[in-house]
Amino acid sequence: MWHRFMWIIASWLLLTASIGDRSTASADEAGDAKRAALQKVHRVVIVPPFFGTDTLGELPPRTDKSGRQELADTPIDEKARERRNEYIEVLKKLEIHARETLPTRLAARTPFVITPGADTVHILEALKKAPPAVFKNGGRIMGKKFDQPDTETVLKIATEAKADAVLLCAFDEPRRNSGGYYFDPLSGPGYDVPKVHDKATFDLITLDGNAVIHQTVEVVHPVTKLGQRLFLLADWTETVDQIIEDFMDELTRYTPHVKGK
């Protein structure tokens, strides 16, 4: 009986080791495939990042099942309207910041040549496409799922830009958690510090339609507070920066190394 038990344990250990080896080999193969694809990339065009929500009014209008346009909810209370307008201005600043930071960091951390932003804008205008329209469903986040790129439009942009790949980025709206005390049945009472958080999805697609990188990045950042004053814009801006930097960490695992970068 004892020998049979030991044989079962040994067999299980061999099986799990074999599965682990196969998983590692599969991960190595996937990484090698990404490295091989990125070896051929020299020039990248970046579609300007945007928020995949309706707040800024950049996405195509929603329609109901009959195809009629849905009207957006508008605050009735004057103070609610003021808060909404202030928040919209914050989102605009964050979007501008993301559009300025992403190409800067891509140029700093990779060997790629970046298509100038003005050229990209002209290409999108010629194709009559706003950044959200480069996605299959107008760039809108549905539930917790980001939209998927429209590969046909992506390849048109790459061709017009004479680029080897296109980088797309869509952000969710930033959030704030006020924190507070809590009780966990296992660990007992505790305190959750106030935090801000945000997430974005990145797609790097090459001329052959290969989505070499598809990465969703989420970052949690502590709330900065001095007395009763909050610094939400600064915190959210740093969150955007960290999201972009985390994506760069993932991307540079597969890009050719360049001295000084």
Side-chain angles (χ1 to χ4, degrees):
M1 183 69 180
W2 175 253
H3 293 294
R4 179 175 176 80
F5 175 74
M6 292 301 294
W7 178 84
I8 292 173
I9 293 296
S11 299
W12 179 79
L13 290 173
L14 287 171
L15 177 61
T16 54
S18 175
I19 292 173
D21 289 342
R22 287 200 296 271
S23 298
T24 302
S26 177
D28 289 345
E29 289 175 4
D32 289 342
K34 292 177 181 179
R35 292 183 188 94
L38 292 177
Q39 284 282 351
K40 303 173 185 176
V41 174
H42 302 287
R43 187 180 185 90
V44 175
V45 55
I46 302 174
V47 174
F50 63 93
F51 285 99
T53 58
D54 293 304
T55 303
L56 290 182
E58 297 176 328
L59 307 187
R62 287 179 178 269
T63 56
D64 59 23
K65 293 181 180 179
S66 65
R68 291 179 299 183
Q69 182 175 330
E70 294 182 358
L71 297 178
D73 294 332
T74 55
I76 299 175
D77 181 75
E78 181 63 30
K79 288 186 177 180
R81 281 199 295 270
E82 288 180 5
R83 288 195 298 269
R84 181 177 175 81
N85 289 338
E86 288 175 1
Y87 178 63
I88 287 174
E89 290 305 311
V90 167
L91 278 191
K92 288 179 180 177
K93 290 177 181 177
L94 291 175
E95 187 177 76
I96 291 170
H97 181 73
R99 291 181 173 185
E100 292 173 346
T101 303
L102 183 57
T104 300
R105 297 307 298 152
L106 188 68
R109 295 195 57 183
T110 70
F112 304 139
V113 175
I114 314 300
T115 299
D119 293 350
T120 305
V121 169
H122 291 322
I123 290 168
L124 290 171
E125 288 176 348
L127 294 173
K128 297 181 180 179
K129 296 286 186 181
V134 183
F135 289 74
K136 290 181 179 179
N137 297 302
R140 182 176 281 107
I141 298 170
M142 302 299 290
K144 294 183 178 181
K145 292 185 65 175
F146 284 92
D147 199 1
Q148 299 294 313
D150 179 0
T151 305
E152 183 179 345
T153 302
V154 169
L155 297 185
K156 286 180 181 177
I157 294 170
T159 301
E160 290 296 323
K162 295 180 174 59
D164 306 297
V166 179
L167 177 60
L168 302 98
C169 173
F171 276 84
D172 195 1
E173 291 187 32
R175 314 291 179 190
R176 179 166 72 96
N177 179 348
S178 299
Y181 291 95
Y182 66 87
F183 180 81
D184 187 292
L186 297 178
S187 60
Y191 180 74
D192 186 20
V193 299
K195 297 181 291 288
V196 296
H197 58 96
D198 199 0
K199 60 182 178 180
T201 187
F202 297 84
D203 290 275
L204 184 67
I205 301 173
T206 52
L207 268 176
D208 57 0
N210 179 21
V212 181
I213 304 286
H214 172 72
Q215 181 82 6
T216 298
V217 180
E218 185 166 7
V219 166
V220 178
H221 184 289
V223 167
T224 304
K225 188 175 182 181
L226 184 61
Q228 297 301 312
R229 185 181 177 188
L230 297 176
F231 297 84
L232 277 180
L233 177 57
D235 290 336
W236 279 335
T237 301
E238 289 180 3
T239 302
V240 168
D241 289 342
Q242 191 60 57
I243 286 173
I244 292 173
E245 215 61 37
D246 286 356
F247 168 69
M248 291 301 154
D249 290 343
E250 172 67 13
L251 177 61
T252 52
R253 291 172 59 194
Y254 310 108
T255 53
H257 177 72
V258 175
K259 189 174 181 180
K261 288 192 176 183

